[in-house]
Amino acid sequence: MKKIIVAICGIILSGGAMAAAQDVAQLSQYPNDWKLTGPYNKLPNPTNEYVFYDRNYSQFGKNEIKGTYGNDEGAMVALMAQEIYKNGAKICATQIQAANADFTASIWIDYHFDKEKHTCITLCKSGWSGSKCETHEISTSSCDSAPTFGTETGTYFAGQLTKLLTSGKDNYKITKEVQVFDQDNHFNTSDSREAYAVVLGVVRNLTHGLKVAPVRIDVERSRTWNGTVTSWITSAKTNGLTTILCAAGYVEQNDNCVLAEECQPGYKRTCSGYETGFDEDQHTWDIDVENDCKYFICKEGSDYAFKPGTTKECKKCERTAHQGIVKGVCKDCEDRILVGEQCKGYTPISPKELLDGMFDIGKCWMKSSLSEYKSCVRCSNGQKWNDSTKRCE
C-alpha cells in the first residue's frame, strides 16, 4: 500500500506507507513483430500454468493478497520480458504487482526485481544474435555451454517463480524500466477499479529455448469508502500465439530449438560469395584450406565450371588459349588470350617470324633454350642478338 497523506482541517489521516510515485512501464517499439491480437482467453500454458508463474506462490483474487506491501497488493513472480527487441527479448523472473494508493481511486501495475533472487537471460529468434538480437547471424559463442530450460519450471530459472517478494515496499520497483505491449492504468480517478497490461511472457520451456507469447495481466482494486485500498491480480491469460526464442548456437526446427549447423563437429563456415546458390544436383562442397572455409564446385568433373554472371549454373568449359576455368567460373576472353586469370591482348606471329624473329634476327629456332628463343623472336627493330650474353641488345 502506498500511503497518501491527506490533511483535512488540520487533521492528518494516514495509512501504512509513505506516498510512492505512480509509475508506468514503457511501451515496446515492436508490437507488430510479436503476434499481438486477441482474444486473451487461454492459460499461459494449456496444460501447466507453472511455466509462466507458480500458482502456489502467486496471488489471484482479493482473498489472496501478498506483495512488497505485505497483505495489501497482490503479486506473482512470472517469466516475462523486461526488454523487448525486434528479434528477441531479455527474459527475467519478474514480480508483477497490482498497485494502489490509499485515499485515491488509483489502480495500476508495478514491476519489481531483486537481482539477488531473480535472474535474466537474453534469447533471440532463430538466426539472430547479439546483446539485443540485432545481428542476423547465428552465434557460436555458447555451442558447448548453452543454458538449458527443460520442462516445468525449467533448469535455468529453477526455483525462480517461488521467490515472491513480500516486503521492501518500492525498494525493488523497476516499473519505468520495463517494456510492455499495452497497458491501461488509472491514477486518482474514480472511473475504473480495473487495470491491465500486455507483457511478453514465457508459456513453455524447451530444452535449449523458450516459447513466448503476449500475456494479458488484469488487476483490480477495492473501493475507497474508508480510505484504505487493497488491490489484487484477477487473471493472466494469453492469446496462444507463440514465438520460439533459442539459446546461442541453437536454431528453430520442428517446433523446437536444435543445435545449429555452425556448432556441429567439423563445421566449416561458408566462403564469401557461396552463401547461396547451392544445388545438390549440380554442386559438391570443397574446402578452401587457406581461408578455412567451404565452397562448392560443379560435381560433373574438372571440365565443368559456373557460367559467367551471378548464378551458379554449371557448364562444360573447354580449356583453350582463349578460355579456361578461373576460380570456378568459365572465363571466355573471346578475341584475347587467357593469361593466368586475366584476358590480355596479343600480336599474331607468322611462321617465318617464329623461325627468324619478328625483325629477321635470323635462326631463332636454333637457340638452345626456350628463354633464348623467346628473346630472339621478340628482338625489336634496331637491336641485335648478342651471342655472348645470349640476349637481344
Side-chain angles (χ1 to χ4, degrees):
M1 169 79 66
K2 288 82 173 167
K3 179 172 78 174
I4 302 297
I5 301 176
V6 180
I8 302 178
C9 298
I11 299 175
I12 304 297
L13 302 176
S14 63
M18 294 299 292
Q22 297 175 337
D23 298 324
V24 295
Q26 304 174 43
L27 289 178
S28 169
Q29 302 178 51
Y30 308 106
N32 297 328
D33 298 284
W34 294 96
K35 306 175 184 177
L36 286 178
T37 182
Y40 294 88
N41 57 5
K42 301 177 179 64
L43 288 173
N45 184 315
T47 59
N48 188 356
E49 301 173 36
Y50 292 78
V51 175
F52 180 60
Y53 60 86
D54 189 319
R55 187 67 180 82
N56 294 326
Y57 290 85
S58 300
Q59 314 300 313
F60 284 82
K62 57 186 176 182
N63 295 322
E64 300 181 70
I65 301 176
K66 183 176 286 187
T68 60
Y69 277 87
N71 298 325
D72 188 87
E73 298 184 348
M76 66 178 180
V77 180
L79 296 182
M80 59 164 280
Q82 287 185 9
E83 296 180 16
I84 302 171
Y85 316 124
K86 183 177 179 65
N87 293 296
K90 180 183 178 181
I91 305 294
C92 307
T94 307
Q95 183 151 320
I96 303 173
Q97 192 157 308
N100 68 75
D102 278 350
F103 303 103
T104 72
S106 299
I107 177 67
W108 72 97
I109 295 178
D110 271 333
Y111 305 89
H112 299 258
F113 181 79
D114 181 355
K115 63 182 180 180
E116 300 297 326
K117 297 180 179 180
H118 301 145
T119 305
C120 293
I121 189 172
T122 296
L123 297 179
C124 303
K125 294 178 183 178
S126 184
W128 292 84
S129 61
S131 61
K132 296 187 177 181
C133 303
E134 71 282 6
T135 305
H136 199 185
E137 64 181 30
I138 297 170
S139 170
T140 58
S141 60
S142 301
C143 289
D144 299 324
S145 59
T148 58
F149 302 95
T151 57
E152 303 294 325
T153 55
T155 302
Y156 186 87
F157 287 108
Q160 293 288 297
L161 301 183
T162 66
K163 296 180 179 179
L164 187 72
L165 303 174
T166 57
S167 63
K169 299 180 180 179
D170 284 353
N171 290 345
Y172 304 108
K173 192 169 79 166
I174 58 166
T175 303
K176 292 191 293 185
E177 302 168 27
V178 170
Q179 297 172 5
V180 300
F181 292 123
D182 190 17
Q183 59 189 336
D184 184 33
N185 300 299
H186 298 275
F187 301 115
N188 306 312
T189 65
S190 59
D191 60 345
S192 178
R193 293 194 297 116
E194 299 176 345
Y196 73 83
V198 179
V199 303
L200 184 64
V202 175
V203 298
R204 184 181 175 191
N205 290 307
L206 306 173
T207 302
H208 292 290
L210 298 171
K211 272 191 176 182
V212 296
V215 179
R216 173 169 164 150
I217 311 297
D218 287 279
V219 301
E220 188 176 348
R221 66 167 172 82
S222 64
R223 298 183 183 277
T224 59
W225 300 123
N226 61 359
T228 300
V229 182
T230 57
S231 51
W232 55 87
I233 296 173
T234 58
S235 70
K237 298 289 182 66
T238 176
N239 62 3
L241 302 177
T242 63
T243 300
I244 289 180
L245 304 180
C246 293
Y250 286 75
V251 294
E252 181 180 347
Q253 186 179 104
N254 298 327
D255 206 37
N256 207 337
C257 291
V258 301
L259 191 65
E261 180 187 6
E262 287 82 348
C263 287
Q264 299 287 351
Y267 168 79
K268 292 289 184 183
R269 66 180 179 84
T270 303
C271 300
S272 177
Y274 292 87
E275 294 86 354
T276 60
F278 179 80
D279 180 352
E280 63 180 9
D281 292 331
Q282 297 187 65
H283 306 139
T284 184
W285 290 101
D286 202 351
I287 302 297
D288 183 338
V289 177
E290 182 179 351
N291 294 302
D292 194 29
C293 61
K294 66 177 182 178
Y295 65 101
F296 53 87
I297 58 176
C298 296
K299 68 191 304 184
E300 290 192 61
S302 59
D303 290 336
Y304 284 79
F306 303 140
K307 290 182 178 180
T310 58
T311 66
K312 295 293 192 295
E313 184 179 352
C314 293
K315 62 170 285 188
K316 190 168 185 178
C317 186
E318 296 182 358
R319 290 177 170 85
T320 68
H322 302 278
Q323 178 179 277
I325 299 175
V326 177
K327 294 182 178 178
V329 176
C330 188
K331 187 164 187 173
D332 187 352
C333 293
E334 298 179 348
D335 59 348
R336 295 184 294 169
I337 60 172
L338 180 62
V339 180
E341 297 181 356
Q342 304 295 324
C343 292
K344 295 186 177 182
Y346 68 98
T347 301
I349 301 176
S350 68
K352 184 179 185 309
E353 290 172 329
L354 290 173
L355 292 173
D356 296 325
M358 296 175 67
F359 294 94
D360 202 21
I361 295 297
K363 297 183 179 181
C364 288
W365 59 273
M366 295 196 56
K367 302 307 176 189
S368 60
S369 69
L370 181 59
S371 61
E372 289 182 33
Y373 172 71
K374 287 182 178 179
S375 181
C376 180
V377 170
R378 294 173 178 172
C379 196
S380 62
N381 192 20
Q383 292 181 310
K384 292 183 179 181
W385 181 259
N386 188 324
D387 283 322
S388 297
T389 62
K390 300 185 184 302
R391 291 188 306 176
C392 182
E393 299 175 343

